[in-house]
Structure formats: structure tokens, C-alpha cells
Amino acid sequence: SLNHSTAQGAINWAGHSYRNGLRVPVMFVCEDNGLGLSVPTPDDWVSASLAGRAELALRSADGADPVDVWRATLDLADEIRSTGRPGLLHLSTVRFLGHAGTDVETAYRTADDIAKDRERDPLIGAARCAVAAGVCDPDEVASWFLDQRATIRDACFELLDEPELLTADEVMAPLAAPQPTRAQQNQTPVLEASTGVSAGGTLQNGGVAGVGGAGGVGTGAGDAGERLTFAQTVNRALADAIESSHDVMVFGEDVGRKGGAYGVTRGLQKSFGVDRVFDTLLDEQSILGLALGAALNGRLPIPEIQYLAYFHNAEDQLRGEAATQAFFSQRQYLNPMVIRIAAYGYQKGFGGHFHNDNSIGVLRDVPGVVIASPGHPSDAAGMLASCIGHARNDGAVCVFLEPIARYHDADLHEAGDGGWTAPYDPAPIDVGVGRVHGDGTDLTIVTWANGLHLSLRAQRELAAEGVSSRVLDLRWLAPLPVGQLLAESGLTGRVLIVDETRRTGGVSEGIIAELVDGGFDGSIRRVTALDSFVPLGAAANLVLVGVDDVIDAAHQLLAT
């Protein structure tokens, strides 16, 4: 649909790229039947709306005349191939019957208009060409047409005996969740000391010696004991992915020369070149559209969306396109990708609702999409590696949510404790498996991302009061680690959900539903962000979850 923003964005992207000196050998085809559902298109609208696009080679043809279409297509294709300039073929066509089965076109079209369309039937146009070329005479064309009609009718009856989808499992087979490489769904792994977290569950003190500026590029080599921030860990993991496989592409707004708004991709373009790491124009629909096309052509794209709020500008590229490709094709077509999104709130001295956003309901609502949401650097590389592997092996669409506020943090409790850094560990972490911090018996705190930072701080303060708790970092929001959730909750009988998303439509609603459905009969309380957009400056603290909120909620839960 030429009037749709995605089409306009794609055409704009092609022209913009060509103007920047790139080859863009793309041919767009507009089949113009003069109608938008039931609404007539203004005369000459298509040609007039495209006339000002200087970087677009244009051709027009009568869609009812196959010779005209053939010549125009070849001519345009030759120009596109020779110049690298994008082009658009405008075909004047007809539409038979309504837009859809329920659309009765006689309700808004005159009999005369419908009759004129029948005279422009492309089958009749093809017959005229064949007769004019001496290939056959009119009687032979009519006989062939009737034979084909009978063949098609017979094929329709044969299809009646084809197997149908009769069970929900058959319908949902293309959406099958990834299987862990180990049977860990009901296990509760405790963090080891080598990850920067003690077996008792408290983040270890440790310096950050050897850690350079934010986003320093790495290839996974170097000092094995070097402690990295979250941003540095993601940077090194991306470098590993690009270096280890020719099909990986990293792209998005400012990711190349600048290295991203937060330096996460700094140095990658210099190390691997502009073919592997490159900037795009400022249009999220085009970024995800490029990922779709690249994935279908054998690449493994890792596009970056600069802020979670920006993703909402293009969410249909995920919901209506990427996530449905495998489903509606019975996995005959796959478009693997890992979409990195700088997400959530809690940025200090910066923000507003376009740069701090805690709404991920639209992501969790899309069937088959894997949602990774690491909080601590010790998990970031392994979870990213797992997403890349799952995308490559299973054709999955994965979303990797990175907490902006934790990108460059080094400490957890006190300045210099190094609690929010960790040695680089790229070992894949199974999809749908969480991580347990601590082994307390009074309270189970369930959280993820920024909530992990808040909860671990609250855990220490509660311990000083004599309250022993365990923190379950979900890590994966789709699929949720339901088995672990039930097991960890059952060990204490009290569950506090620390949810940085909103109270309405937030992740905690789904967590509570899983607990109830799973038969948990203990006490549940949740602390969430309020149903508000995130305001500027310190006012954000009024609607987001804080450590004090977690502690107060824990006291209330323990009192029940």
C-alpha cells in the first residue's frame, strides 16, 4: 500500500541511501487499481506523489498489457542494475470482486465501472497479444481457457482431501518454545563466586582495575580476570559475534561512527568495517524492515533500537511481520534476528517519556518471540550468545532488553565495591532459565533488570534486620522460567514481585497468574511502577520503584 507509512519509509530509505553514495538495487512495484478498499484514489495521485523523489527511477505501464509490462520492467531493471539507483514500477491495474470476501463492491461502485474493469482483464490482454503475434487464433485461446478452468476445478476438489489443522498443538507447532540444552527448568542454580556473586547470593566486592572507558571494543580475548560493566560486556559480546561469523550485521541509529548513544557499540565499526557495523537513518520502521530483508537473505541481523519508546514507532514490523513469518509459512521461511533495545527508566539527570520507557506489554503479547532481559554484567554476554544461537539455529526472533541505567554502573552498595561488574563470560545461558541470589527462607523476591539492582540492595538491608531472603532474577520474560518461579516461591511461601514496568499491563500480572495457575497458595505482594509516563528529572522517582518501596512491601508481606 503506497500510502502506508512503511512503504513511504522504505522508499525514503532507498533514496536516502542512494544519495549517500550506496548502491540500492531495489525495484518497488505499485499495483495501482485505483481503490483503497472502497475509497477511490485521487486521479494521478500515485505519479504525483512520487514525482518529487529525485533519487527514484520511475516507470509506468498498463497492467492489462503484458507486453507493455514486460518492456517497462526490463528497462527499469537494466537501469537499476547499471546505476544502483532504486526504482519504482507503477502498474495501472484492475481489481476483480471486492477487497475481501465480505466486501460487496456493488455497494460503492457503479455497474459501468465494474464492466470497464472486465474489459481490462489482463487475461484478455494476454490473449490479444498471443493472437496478434500469430501464436494462436481466438478459438484456440477460448478452448485453452476452458480447459484451464476445468483443471483448476479438479484441483480444488483434490485439495478437499488435504489434511487440516485439527489440534491447537498443530496450529502452534511453528511457535514451539526453545528447549534448554540442559534440563534446568525446575532447578535453582545459585551464582558462583567466579561470576562475581558469592554462593550465598550477595554480590562480591571487587575493584574495576583494567576496565577502560565505556564501551571499549573487545574480542573476547585479553585478561580473563578483567571486570567489565554491562556496556563493556555487551560490546565485547557483539565483537565476538561479528568476528566469529560472516553473517552477523550490527546496525541502527548512531551505532557506527559514534558507537551508540551510550557507547555500547564503540569501536566496532573501526574493527569490522562499515559493511558489518553501520548507521541507519532515523526511522525505526526502516531499521526493523532492513533486518527483515537481511534475515530472509541469509544474514543474522542485530539491529539496535536506541530507546524502548522508539520501538513503539515500529512495533508492527515485529508483530505483523517478523514474528508471523515462520508461523504462516509453517517454518518454510525464517527471519532470524536479535533486536537490541536500550530499555527501561532510572537514568540520572536525563529522560522524559521518549528516553525512559517501562512499557513492554506489546512485546510479551507477540507469540513466539523470545525476550531476554539481563540485569547484571555476568549474565549479559551469555544471554546475548544464547539469543544469537537460538536465532541462527531455530530461526527465532529475539528481543534483548538492556537496562540503560545500568550500562556504566560499577558498584552496587558502596562506591568502589565493583558489585556491578564481572569477568567476561560468553558461555550461553539457556533460554527460559533464571538465576537465584541467596538462599533465604523468609521471603522470595522475584524480579529482573533494574529490579535486580534494587532487590539486591534491599536484600542486604533486610538481612541486617534479620530477614533472610532469596532473589530470583527471571532474566527471561518470554518464555518465563515458570518451573523455577514455583519452586523458589514454594521454599518460602511468601513472594514479593519487584516490577519496574507499570502496574496495569506490566509483567507482574503474568507472574501472579503463573503462580496461581501453578497452585501456589502462599502470600503474594507486588511493588510496581505507577500507571504513568516517566517524567523528567527527579520527578521520575515519584512513579518508579525505589529500594524503600521494596523494603516497605517486604515488611507488609512478612506481617501477613
Side-chain angles (χ1 to χ4, degrees):
S1 176
L2 183 66
N3 293 316
H4 199 283
S5 61
T6 51
Q8 293 293 323
I11 294 169
N12 180 69
W13 164 82
H16 183 276
S17 299
Y18 181 71
R19 176 64 69 91
N20 273 339
L22 299 176
R23 286 182 58 84
V24 190
V26 175
M27 182 190 293
F28 299 95
V29 180
C30 176
E31 299 175 354
D32 178 14
N33 60 29
L35 290 167
L37 300 180
S38 64
V39 180
T41 302
D43 291 342
D44 299 324
W45 169 248
V46 172
S47 57
S49 66
L50 295 171
R53 297 187 179 272
E55 309 303 338
L56 195 65
L58 298 173
R59 297 291 188 281
S60 297
D62 180 1
D65 182 350
V67 173
D68 192 28
V69 173
W70 179 259
R71 289 172 176 166
T73 303
L74 288 183
D75 180 53
L76 182 57
D78 287 343
E79 178 175 347
I80 291 172
R81 286 193 178 101
S82 63
T83 65
R85 180 186 182 190
L88 185 142
L89 178 63
H90 176 205
L91 299 179
S92 175
T93 65
V94 294
R95 187 191 79 187
F96 291 124
L97 305 178
H99 172 78
T102 57
D103 180 24
V104 181
E105 65 175 348
T106 54
Y108 54 86
R109 299 190 72 196
T110 67
D112 185 54
D113 287 338
I114 294 173
K116 288 179 179 178
D117 275 359
R118 287 175 180 162
E119 292 175 2
R120 297 189 62 239
D121 187 333
L123 286 177
I124 296 175
R128 289 195 184 102
C129 291
V131 172
V135 174
C136 57
D137 60 39
D139 289 339
E140 288 175 317
V141 173
S143 176
W144 173 84
F145 176 82
L146 294 174
D147 287 343
Q148 290 298 312
R149 185 166 64 178
T151 299
I152 292 169
R153 183 176 181 275
D154 292 342
C156 289
F157 281 110
E158 291 177 8
L159 289 173
L160 293 176
D161 295 327
E162 288 291 307
E164 298 179 3
L165 297 173
L166 300 176
T167 68
D169 287 342
E170 290 176 324
V171 171
M172 298 172 64
L175 301 174
Q179 298 301 312
T181 56
R182 303 180 300 278
Q184 288 190 330
Q185 279 293 347
N186 293 312
Q187 296 182 15
T188 55
V190 177
L191 293 178
E192 301 296 338
S194 62
T195 64
V197 182
S198 69
T202 56
L203 292 173
Q204 292 182 323
N205 291 340
V208 292
V211 178
V217 69
T219 61
D223 183 3
E226 182 182 19
R227 300 182 66 86
L228 305 180
T229 63
F230 193 102
Q232 291 168 325
T233 301
V234 173
N235 179 282
R236 183 169 293 185
L238 290 171
D240 280 355
I242 300 169
E243 188 173 52
S244 64
S245 181
H246 71 281
D247 59 352
V248 172
M249 304 162 57
V250 174
F251 55 89
E253 299 168 8
D254 298 322
V255 305
R257 196 174 196 177
K258 181 179 178 181
Y262 295 88
V264 179
T265 56
R266 184 174 298 162
L268 295 180
Q269 186 179 81
K270 183 177 181 180
S271 296
F272 301 105
V274 295
D275 291 336
R276 306 292 300 281
V277 183
F278 55 89
D279 294 316
T280 65
L281 74 172
L282 307 186
D283 177 32
E284 286 69 32
Q285 288 189 136
S286 294
I287 293 171
L288 296 184
L290 176 60
L292 283 162
L296 286 169
N297 282 278
R299 302 283 185 154
L300 204 164
I302 306 181
E304 177 186 294
I305 302 298
Q306 197 168 79
Y307 292 99
L308 177 59
Y310 296 177
F311 168 75
H312 300 306
N313 298 336
E315 58 196 27
D316 189 58
Q317 290 290 291
L318 184 63
R319 186 266 172 210
E321 303 291 342
T324 61
Q325 189 76 253
F327 180 74
F328 286 113
S329 70
Q330 287 287 310
R331 299 188 64 80
Q332 294 178 85
Y333 294 95
L334 301 175
N335 45 11
M337 65 183 71
V338 180
I339 304 168
R340 294 179 46 248
I341 304 179
Y344 305 123
Y346 296 98
Q347 295 186 80
K348 297 178 179 66
F350 181 71
H353 70 287
F354 268 116
H355 303 99
N356 286 277
D357 185 34
N358 55 355
S359 173
I360 61 172
V362 68
L363 287 168
R364 296 190 68 245
D365 186 54
V366 183
V369 171
V370 171
I371 306 175
S373 189
H376 194 268
S378 57
D379 292 322
M383 291 177 69
L384 183 58
S386 184
C387 285
I388 293 172
H390 183 42
R392 175 174 286 115
N393 298 330
D394 301 322
V397 175
C398 302
V399 177
F400 194 79
L401 299 175
E402 301 169 6
I404 299 174
R406 306 278 79 84
Y407 271 147
H408 305 303
D409 278 359
D411 306 318
L412 174 59
H413 297 297
E414 292 91 21
D417 67 18
W420 220 253
T421 63
Y424 181 69
D425 183 4
I429 294 172
D430 286 342
V431 174
V433 176
R435 193 173 200 173
V436 182
H437 300 247
D439 53 5
T441 57
D442 295 330
L443 175 67
T444 300
I445 302 175
V446 178
T447 191
W448 71 95
N450 288 299
L452 176 63
H453 192 270
L454 299 171
S455 297
L456 291 176
R457 292 172 63 195
Q459 182 185 46
R460 189 172 82 157
E461 294 193 32
L462 289 169
E465 302 174 6
V467 177
S468 67
S469 62
R470 57 183 61 226
V471 176
L472 171 59
D473 178 9
L474 296 172
R475 299 196 295 193
W476 305 92
L477 302 183
L480 283 169
V482 177
Q484 281 181 281
L485 173 65
L486 292 169
E488 292 298 321
S489 301
L491 291 173
T492 66
R494 298 186 184 91
V495 177
L496 173 59
I497 304 168
V498 179
D499 180 1
E500 65 180 293
T501 62
R502 299 169 192 164
R503 188 168 186 83
T504 301
V507 180
S508 58
E509 292 180 340
I511 296 171
I512 292 174
E514 293 291 358
L515 287 169
V516 174
D517 287 348
F520 177 73
D521 59 359
S523 301
I524 305 173
R525 182 172 290 274
R526 61 178 174 146
V527 54
T528 73
L530 302 183
D531 290 341
S532 169
F533 297 106
V534 182
L536 287 165
N541 298 327
L542 303 176
V543 298
L544 298 176
V545 179
V547 174
D548 291 342
D549 298 321
V550 178
I551 294 172
D552 290 345
H555 289 158
Q556 295 172 32
L557 184 60
L558 291 165
T560 59

